[in-house]
Amino acid sequence: MFRILALSEQGTLHGSDTEEAVRAPPPGGYVWVDLTTPDEASLKLLGERFGFHPLALEDCAHADQRPKAEEYGDHLFVVTQSFQCPHGNLDELRWHELQSFLGANYLVTVHEESIPGLDQVWRRLELDGELFKKGADFVYYLLVDRLVDENFPILDRIADALEQIEDAVLTHSEPGDLARIFSLKQGLVLMRKVLSPQRDVIGMLARRGDPRVSEKTALYFRDVYDHLARAVESIEANRDLLGNALDAYHSTMSLRTNEVMKALAILSAVFMPLTFITGFFGQNFEHLPFGSDALMWAMMVSLFVTPLGLLLWFKSRRWF
Amino acid sequence: MFRILALSEQGTLHGSDTEEAVRAPPPGGYVWVDLTTPDEASLKLLGERFGFHPLALEDCAHADQRPKAEEYGDHLFVVTQSFQCPHGNLDELRWHELQSFLGANYLVTVHEESIPGLDQVWRRLELDGELFKKGADFVYYLLVDRLVDENFPILDRIADALEQIEDAVLTHSEPGDLARIFSLKQGLVLMRKVLSPQRDVIGMLARRGDPRVSEKTALYFRDVYDHLARAVESIEANRDLLGNALDAYHSTMSLRTNEVMKALAILSAVFMPLTFITGFFGQNFEHLPFGSDALMWAMMVSLFVTPLGLLLWFKSRRWF
Amino acid sequence: MFRILALSEQGTLHGSDTEEAVRAPPPGGYVWVDLTTPDEASLKLLGERFGFHPLALEDCAHADQRPKAEEYGDHLFVVTQSFQCPHGNLDELRWHELQSFLGANYLVTVHEESIPGLDQVWRRLELDGELFKKGADFVYYLLVDRLVDENFPILDRIADALEQIEDAVLTHSEPGDLARIFSLKQGLVLMRKVLSPQRDVIGMLARRGDPRVSEKTALYFRDVYDHLARAVESIEANRDLLGNALDAYHSTMSLRTNEVMKALAILSAVFMPLTFITGFFGQNFEHLPFGSDALMWAMMVSLFVTPLGLLLWFKSRRWF
Amino acid sequence: MFRILALSEQGTLHGSDTEEAVRAPPPGGYVWVDLTTPDEASLKLLGERFGFHPLALEDCAHADQRPKAEEYGDHLFVVTQSFQCPHGNLDELRWHELQSFLGANYLVTVHEESIPGLDQVWRRLELDGELFKKGADFVYYLLVDRLVDENFPILDRIADALEQIEDAVLTHSEPGDLARIFSLKQGLVLMRKVLSPQRDVIGMLARRGDPRVSEKTALYFRDVYDHLARAVESIEANRDLLGNALDAYHSTMSLRTNEVMKALAILSAVFMPLTFITGFFGQNFEHLPFGSDALMWAMMVSLFVTPLGLLLWFKSRRWF
Amino acid sequence: MFRILALSEQGTLHGSDTEEAVRAPPPGGYVWVDLTTPDEASLKLLGERFGFHPLALEDCAHADQRPKAEEYGDHLFVVTQSFQCPHGNLDELRWHELQSFLGANYLVTVHEESIPGLDQVWRRLELDGELFKKGADFVYYLLVDRLVDENFPILDRIADALEQIEDAVLTHSEPGDLARIFSLKQGLVLMRKVLSPQRDVIGMLARRGDPRVSEKTALYFRDVYDHLARAVESIEANRDLLGNALDAYHSTMSLRTNEVMKALAILSAVFMPLTFITGFFGQNFEHLPFGSDALMWAMMVSLFVTPLGLLLWFKSRRWF
């Protein structure tokens, strides 16, 4: 489904969704064509009207590309991803892929589902057509900046979850902690896989020299690059801290096993000798002097002395 | 065994398998020579007719090379590998090696066994001779593209297997999980070892400037490079997640050992004192007041109080 | 809140905190404008008087940037961080962010809270106006040098804490050790995340060529770069040693579990057979020859021989 | 001990072992001087006749250098190592060091002990003097190629040993497995330490441009480089798989400890209550109704019910 | 405390320790000034006589710099470290820092304590003044070469200690092994932290082009670079092997715990049922047929059959 936002060379802003409007504007004009859920026909139309390369159009048809920026003659083909975490639930972390063609005075965006961040930029542009005059590259900056900034609330949420887990693990580890640690780690692996190459793609746009990106706008892309670099650094640091938390979990677990073990050993040290002693005097040999008071009291004493001796020996080996 | 597909300068397509047809075509013509299970004689023939370097021919004779692209005078010698996983069983993962000589207007491919992907490209070319006119480099692109795409179903299957293991490990680890984790890891080590240098080889072809690869076809190789880069990134991320699953396995195991340990300690805490108490009153000392009811009831009470006390002490140390 | 320190072209030093004084000085003069807790109005004023870029001013408004040095036309925008550890307590480790604009003859610093190190440099400049004549870049060096040096007492404290933990872990590990190890590791992850990019930023200033930094001052920045490099290397080495300490903790723990286990096994080996033997002779079978002295003494002997045999068998397997 | 193989400008081949023959040949001739177990006098002779640098000669005297290629005026000084594994026993893995001086028309090799691979190349040259005419660089290629190829049987043997261990570890780990894993790992650490810099050294020779290596021979060195690169990649992959095997060993071990633990817990759960019950009725209290049949049967029933209950509780916690 | 060694332009060698002699020599002469335990006055003197930069002199006053080589106008300021291990005891590993100023015809060295290696080079120069004529850079090479070579006996000692530990750990691990492993690891972390940047510093001197280092002497520095590279590689390999030894320790420990566990389980499997059986017949129920010989023999048989059955079941689960 197409929708088109065009600024004519006279500075008038037109919205449209007819296929005829899908075309590169005359010099002095600007156009942003947005295509949701592309089908073969609409991609073919884009190819004809803008002269896009079959390979790029094929990438649009099979959304699951890695972030990249490719130069095809007079336009750039850029693939980026943005994350979303619908109800603040990190388990539902998913991403949108956005394919963009950036020409001298046009921007064409293609995506599978509607992307809230993109819709916001679209509305902002509808309200303030002046922004369009800064060029198609600036409009693309607005879009990318908006989508990149959506990563930060997610990263903050991950950092919060991480902090909670760190505390929990050292004080009262539960089986559920493990599952939470591993789900966080999966999230970070996923985000790093996507954001790290994306940072390099935006870095390329920020380096001055590309004919589609004015020197002025390049400064803005440098800012986006910076945000992405910060996001990637934050992911790395969080991975480190997560490894920390896992180590803490393991250590706490082995510490506890050790403690339980010691309690068991002490219990055994106390009661095993006692059981033997009472067992000894439970034998039915007729010649054992069961009538002797002295022996009985000796038995009584040994019931205290034997475990005490073993406990002292344990103490001397620093077990508790 | 040779088979030859030649496009004459008049645009007529010839199939053949006679040794005479093994030769570089006149200018304007194109030829693809495919040699299966090379023997010494056939390699010598290739060397004579095309002027291939002895070192490259020796590499063809001893298939087990690393992916590489070497320039020899007017032609490129490229070694690539492709994976196959016959019945969707990851344990049977194996690979084919393909040696290719890419000249200005010819392509010579050498391989040990028949490669299904290559046969498909061969048949496609037999049906549509026009494709040949795009050049030998484009035919080589078709071949490489087909072989590289065969990796993705395998990677998808690995990702699926990984996801299953992740779930299994956290909820109900079994001894078999370990074997599956390690077999997956071996598969990933193998694929990375092959695909990572292969990516660089294709990257070299994609960079414009090589006289055998037209600027137009280089764009297509860039696309293949991109696919390989995605495959390698996916392998890396899966390795990360596999390490995750192994950690989860270890943690789950130590958590369970801990729990079993605690149950054992609790059991012992309950029954060891009881056994002692009953053992005490099973002694045969004549002077113990076995006739006293008070003592008997005291014994009865202590049977409840002692283990209870120990359990409360355990509770206070947060063992359950 | 602004405060301004200006050196007029006649060499007279003026202190001020009126907004009018916020402006770039005439050639020959120097000015340092320090803005604490920036609000929108004061940032706008800076933008108007000095011509700062909106992106840089936005960064000032949202303090939580990564260390960076960006060139905007005639001035540099530099973001640095400095650590502080108020009462020598590593758990309270926190950092200040300092945004600086470095022009040919002015320095503008923006920060959220008052930074003690900055205040000291300010006072030093108030007392010795001559320092100003070495240029705005030299003043900036003084500031950065002071802030970087504040990291070293913190690193020393971390190294001390590390050394204590290393000893403790090998001789008498306590549960608290774990928490201390992980809190140290968090501190190091945090410091590396900030100082490692900061080193690169200062390295850029130290490399000669920037028009805002004189060749003479660049030597001084090289010195600061060196301090930061040393700090980062020290962080890396400490991370290594911390990993060491954690390994030591794990190993000590598993060694002790092993020892406790062995003690438990030995205890069981001694007392389980004894309990069986006495139990055997505690049976009430009438036909067991309880009257036989020989049997009684055989029982007595077996009480010594049986556990001894098991202990010797254990010994032969090198358990103690 | 010297031995010399010289090709005069007339194409006649001379073998010799007199010191006079140790000299650079006239233009058009070629010479290969091989010095085994160098002493001070013979090194001094080399220095005088060929003008070798004292530092290079010192390196020859103290064999234990890292692989390197150093340019000294008109000749190259190259140090390489080759591995040998005498009776197929990986524990006896050791290496030879070969110091070589490569000039325009001479090759001087120095080594401590006789190297079988070098002797083979020497004999091949004695039989086929024509090979000499391809230049000293080609002779050096023959030598290096031969020595590098000796690594592969060793790597194959390591791969075989690794495969055996992988199977063994998952099905029936034995204490000996550990020792074998660690001995393999030491072998791989050693080989990587030597072969990884050696690869770079040969890579330098393969890059065209060195005046001592003809463009034609550089192709051959590229082939050797390739073999070394394959060896290093194979070492890396094997290290990965070895880490795998070690992880498998740990996991199998902890799995078994867990299982033994569970068996112990189940045993205790069954017999501890039984022992208590029988102990209870073994007490000598006169007022316990030992004459009651009902009590006796109740006891009998409880002997079955109590452990059954505990086992069911264990089952409900998924212990077996 | 100064000491000066000067070669006049006439080739006469003078030793001195007066402050007047501290000065750069006239062209054609050479001087080496060595300053031990620098105080403020002597550093100021150096600054005045040689024109050293305040930053470099400040570094001399605060010895604890990282290895570095900095260019200040006409001289180089180089900081290096050398290790010492006084009585062959690795626990006493410590290092000396040496600050050097290398000019066209002078060398100034500053250090806290007397360095034995430096004293040896000093004495060698006193005996053989000719060495001085090779230039100040060559004297500096002699010094650095001497100090770098002192690392190798230490590395050899570490390798020996490592080998001992490897054997010990697999055959008879003791608690002390852990402490030794961690002390070795600390030593390696320390040496790598110092030697790795030092290698790069010497590498800079070895690269031709620096006006203070003649092309001839650069060859010698390349040799020192090589030694340092070998030291660093050896440290890396030893770190790997140490990680190995630690893994071996862990594995051996868990293997033993497993074995002890199994012995405990077997013990329990044998004696717990026996204790129950004898306990059963130790009950005082009057209606149990204690007079029956058949029952007595059945009991006797069950004493053998029950544990045997359990042991066979264990055997079938491959526990021993």
Side-chain angles (χ1 to χ4, degrees), chain E residues 136-200:
Chain E
D137 52 350
F138 191 79
V139 170
Y140 185 57
Y141 151 73
L142 287 177
L143 184 53
V144 167
D145 186 48
R146 185 73 198 72
L147 294 177
V148 164
D149 280 352
E150 278 181 357
N151 293 316
F152 288 98
I154 303 176
L155 286 173
D156 289 349
R157 216 166 289 139
I158 288 178
D160 287 353
L162 186 48
E163 210 161 302
Q164 276 174 32
I165 283 176
E166 275 170 351
D167 287 351
V169 149
L170 280 176
T171 55
H172 54 278
S173 330
E174 299 166 25
D177 290 344
L178 258 189
R180 270 190 290 156
I181 287 177
F182 291 114
S183 125
L184 275 184
K185 219 174 161 185
Q186 285 179 349
L188 289 173
V189 166
L190 184 60
M191 291 190 78
R192 192 180 59 150
K193 190 185 152 193
V194 168
L195 293 186
S196 174
Q198 187 153 330
R199 179 192 51 183
D200 302 338

Side-chain angles (χ1 to χ4, degrees), chain C residues 102 107 121 124 135-149 205 217-225 227, chain E residues 55 58:
Chain C
L102 179 59
L107 171 69
V121 177
R124 191 172 154 201
D137 52 350
F138 192 78
V139 170
Y140 186 56
Y141 152 74
L142 287 176
L143 183 53
V144 167
D145 187 47
R146 185 73 197 71
L147 294 178
V148 164
D149 279 352
L205 298 181
T217 312
L219 285 182
Y220 286 89
F221 277 113
R222 190 173 68 180
D223 194 59
V224 177
Y225 169 81
H227 288 193
Chain E
L55 277 172
E58 201 187 303

Side-chain angles (χ1 to χ4, degrees), chain E residues 66-105:
Chain E
R66 48 194 300 267
K68 60 179 175 184
E70 294 180 336
E71 209 181 336
Y72 286 106
D74 65 340
H75 61 277
L76 275 177
F77 174 59
V78 191
V79 179
T80 55
Q81 268 98 3
S82 61
F83 281 93
Q84 239 182 342
C85 187
H87 310 95
N89 187 341
L90 290 170
D91 289 338
E92 296 179 25
L93 186 70
R94 43 211 210 78
W95 78 78
H96 298 297
E97 186 166 320
L98 178 69
Q99 282 106 359
S100 316
F101 296 86
L102 179 61
N105 58 353

Side-chain angles (χ1 to χ4, degrees), chain E residues 171-286:
Chain E
T171 55
H172 54 278
S173 330
E174 299 166 25
D177 290 344
L178 258 189
R180 270 190 290 156
I181 287 177
F182 291 114
S183 125
L184 275 184
K185 219 174 161 185
Q186 285 179 349
L188 289 173
V189 166
L190 184 60
M191 291 190 78
R192 192 180 59 150
K193 190 185 152 193
V194 168
L195 293 186
S196 174
Q198 187 153 330
R199 179 192 51 183
D200 302 338
V201 164
I202 300 299
M204 258 183 52
L205 297 181
R207 249 168 276 129
R208 290 159 199 182
D210 191 289
R212 260 91 33 185
V213 179
S214 72
E215 199 165 313
K216 228 169 178 175
T217 312
L219 285 182
Y220 287 89
F221 276 114
R222 190 173 67 181
D223 194 59
V224 178
Y225 169 81
D226 223 70
H227 289 193
L228 277 169
R230 184 147 61 89
V232 172
E233 278 167 14
S234 167
I235 288 170
E236 291 298 336
N238 279 339
R239 275 167 63 95
D240 247 33
L241 292 174
L242 208 47
N244 240 0
L246 191 60
D247 274 349
Y249 185 89
H250 279 303
S251 305
T252 308
M253 211 47 81
S254 87
L255 179 68
R256 285 192 196 172
T257 301
N258 189 261
E259 280 182 354
V260 172
M261 208 72 183
K262 283 196 282 194
L264 185 57
I266 291 164
L267 263 178
S268 303
V270 171
F271 287 108
M272 278 186 159
L274 297 192
T275 300
F276 161 64
I277 291 166
T278 59
F280 185 85
F281 294 107
Q283 293 180 108
N284 293 328
F285 286 107
E286 289 161 15

Side-chain angles (χ1 to χ4, degrees), chain C residues 14 23 41 53 106 115 146 162 188 214 258 270-272:
Chain C
H14 292 283
R23 82 166 66 82
H53 196 281
Y106 62 84
I115 303 178
R146 185 73 197 71
L162 186 49
L188 288 173
S214 72
N258 190 261
V270 171
F271 286 108
M272 277 186 159

Side-chain angles (χ1 to χ4, degrees), chain C residues 171-192:
Chain C
T171 55
H172 53 278
S173 331
E174 299 166 25
D177 291 344
L178 259 189
R180 268 189 292 156
I181 287 177
F182 291 114
S183 124
L184 274 185
K185 220 175 160 184
Q186 285 179 349
L188 288 173
V189 166
L190 183 61
M191 291 190 79
R192 194 181 57 150

Side-chain angles (χ1 to χ4, degrees), chain B residues 63-78:
Chain B
D64 184 19
Q65 306 297 319
R66 49 193 297 267
K68 59 179 175 185
E70 294 181 335
E71 207 180 338
Y72 287 106
D74 66 338
H75 61 275
L76 273 178
F77 174 59
V78 191

